Every structure is written in C-alpha cells, then in structure tokens.
Amino acid sequence: MNKVFKKSLVTVFAAVTAVSLFSVSASAATPKMYNFTNYTGNETVSVDLQGDYTKFAKLEDKNGEIDLKNYTVSGDENKTTVTLKEDYLNGLENGEYTFNGYFENILNTYEFTAYENVGVSIPAGEDCEFYNLTVGETKVDNANYEVEKTSGGFVITVNSEYLQTLPENTSFFAHYYSDSMCCITLQVEKQISKPATGSEVTNNTSTTGKDTSLVSPKTGVNSYVPQIICVMLISAGIFTSCILSGKYKNKKN
C-alpha cells in the first residue's frame, strides 16, 4: 500500500512539476526589456544592462549587426553600459527603434528541490553547456546525479541514496552557461526645423537682441494701407454724390 501511495505521490508531483516548468520555460524564453534614454538631438543616449560587460557580444537592429564604431560598451561584471554615438543617432529619423543586445557565456543558476526517482527539467537553450550542481555553495559529486541534455534544456535526476543523506526539502542549484539576449528600445524625438527659402523667415531665424513678437514676410508692401485708402476714397465719393444729389432735388422742388 505504501509503495502504491508513493508512486501516486511521485506521479502527482511530476505532473505539477511539468506544468510549473512549462510556465518557467515560457517566461525564461522572454528576453529582458530595457530602454535607452530618449534622444532629442543633443548629446548621446545610454542604457544599463544586467550582465558582465566583458561578455557583451554584439548589438543588432532590424537591419543586422551594428558596427562597433557607432557605440561604446563599458561597465563591470554585473552591469553593462551601452552608449550610442551622436553621429549614429543623427542619422536616425524620429520614431521608435528596437535593438537586440547579446551576451556570451553567461553563467545561469536554477534552484530546485529534488525528489526520489523524479528528474527535474531545467529550461535552457539548445546551445547551453551544463557546469555543475551544488547544495548551497557545496559542489555535488558527479556520481550523485545524472544530467540528460534535451532540446529544452537539461533533466537532472539526483540519486536516491544521496538524497537520503540530506535534510528534507534541500535546495539544489544547477549552474550552466548560455548565450543571453535582451531587447532595448529607443525613442528619437529630434526637433526638426525647415530651412528658410527665398524671402521667407522661419521661427528658427536668429534674432538675438531683437523683438521677435511680430514677424511679417517681406512682400514689397509693409501693410494694407493703400487698399484701405482706396476704399475710403470710394466711400467718400459715394457719400458726397448722395449729398449733392439730395441738394439738387431740394433746389428743383
């Protein structure tokens, strides 16, 4: 009866583990998202990425890998700062851009609890390389566990004899190397001004020391005064004609 109960418990645990690992695998496949500071036409833009900067491999956009002359990389073992140069930024039109940043040989850690006769799946890419297994900071001897490489990562099965020597629910840590990719977005918001053409005066014309509250285009006539004078003369003529006509009728009567 105990054996049947144990098998049932192992089966239930395996099913729950599979469901949870599916969720973990799906989330692990989602790259980390970062944002450059907005570019408005002044200076450069930078972003801080999580990862050893000496492991940073390349930066890509939709057209492929970006030449290293267009950006710089700096930082330490925990932080990577990518800075886009002004010459590259000035060649971009206003809008949103997406970049992919790639790291090589990042050491990943996956924590799990081992159970008797149950292999635990560690989600990872096909090109990942398994490093070791530890309990805390203590390395587990290779003879105490088995590692199977799969298309989705690794399956680690800890030997039952070794498990019995450890406290219940001991945490294991699987370490493996892999490439890592992150997404970075950039918003370009340069202020675009139209150059002056012919006799037009744009709002960007330098007017240092001058009052620019009223700016009119030069057309050879500074105002509508001639047109107003013509209208006034015509109105005066009509008004005078009316008066004279009235006086003529009065005399006739």
Side-chain angles (χ1 to χ4, degrees):
M1 183 71 178
N2 289 335
K3 290 183 178 180
V4 174
F5 177 75
K6 284 184 178 180
K7 287 183 178 181
S8 300
L9 183 61
V10 168
T11 302
V12 171
F13 173 77
V16 172
T17 302
V19 173
S20 61
L21 286 176
F22 175 80
S23 300
V24 171
S25 179
S27 61
T30 303
K32 293 181 179 179
M33 302 296 297
Y34 299 91
N35 297 294
F36 280 108
T37 51
N38 287 7
Y39 182 63
T40 59
N42 299 315
E43 300 180 351
T44 59
V45 296
S46 299
V47 63
D48 291 333
L49 310 176
Q50 183 180 353
D52 186 348
Y53 90 101
T54 64
K55 303 296 184 182
F56 189 82
K58 60 182 178 179
L59 185 68
E60 292 184 347
D61 62 8
K62 65 179 183 179
N63 297 318
E65 184 174 354
I66 297 175
D67 196 310
L68 187 57
K69 69 180 182 181
N70 293 319
Y71 67 96
T72 61
V73 180
S74 60
D76 52 36
E77 62 181 5
N78 297 314
K79 182 180 72 174
T80 297
T81 301
V82 178
T83 302
L84 298 178
K85 295 184 178 180
E86 274 192 273
D87 289 344
Y88 174 77
L89 291 167
N90 288 334
L92 300 178
E93 298 181 354
N94 283 358
E96 184 174 276
Y97 297 83
T98 301
F99 301 86
N100 291 334
Y102 293 88
F103 290 85
E104 290 181 348
N105 295 326
I106 298 296
L107 186 60
N108 302 275
T109 300
Y110 185 92
E111 181 180 1
F112 67 94
T113 302
Y115 290 85
E116 183 179 1
N117 299 325
V118 177
V120 177
S121 296
I122 309 301
E126 294 184 4
D127 298 330
C128 294
E129 179 184 356
F130 186 82
Y131 181 52
N132 64 18
L133 185 69
T134 65
V135 174
E137 298 181 356
T138 304
K139 182 180 178 181
V140 179
D141 192 292
N142 294 345
N144 293 323
Y145 66 94
E146 297 178 355
V147 179
E148 178 187 357
K149 184 72 172 70
T150 67
S151 59
F154 307 95
V155 175
I156 300 177
T157 304
V158 181
N159 296 346
S160 300
E161 294 79 6
Y162 175 67
L163 282 174
Q164 293 175 3
T165 66
L166 301 174
E168 188 176 358
N169 296 325
T170 295
S171 293
F172 290 86
F173 298 89
H175 307 279
Y176 61 94
Y177 285 104
S178 71
D179 293 344
S180 178
M181 187 268 281
C182 60
C183 289
I184 317 166
T185 59
L186 167 67
Q187 189 70 35
V188 177
E189 299 174 344
K190 294 183 290 186
Q191 297 179 356
I192 302 176
S193 59
K194 296 181 179 179
T197 57
S199 60
E200 293 181 356
V201 178
T202 66
N203 293 331
N204 294 321
T205 303
S206 175
T207 55
T208 304
K210 298 181 180 179
D211 183 8
T212 59
S213 58
L214 293 175
V215 179
S216 301
K218 296 181 180 180
T219 60
V221 179
N222 292 329
S223 66
Y224 294 99
V225 172
Q227 292 92 325
I228 296 174
I229 293 174
C230 289
V231 172
M232 292 177 64
L233 289 175
I234 294 172
S235 299
I238 295 173
F239 181 73
T240 302
S241 298
C242 291
I243 294 175
L244 293 175
S245 176
K247 287 183 177 180
Y248 176 76
K249 287 182 177 181
N250 290 333
K251 286 181 178 181
K252 188 175 182 180
N253 293 332

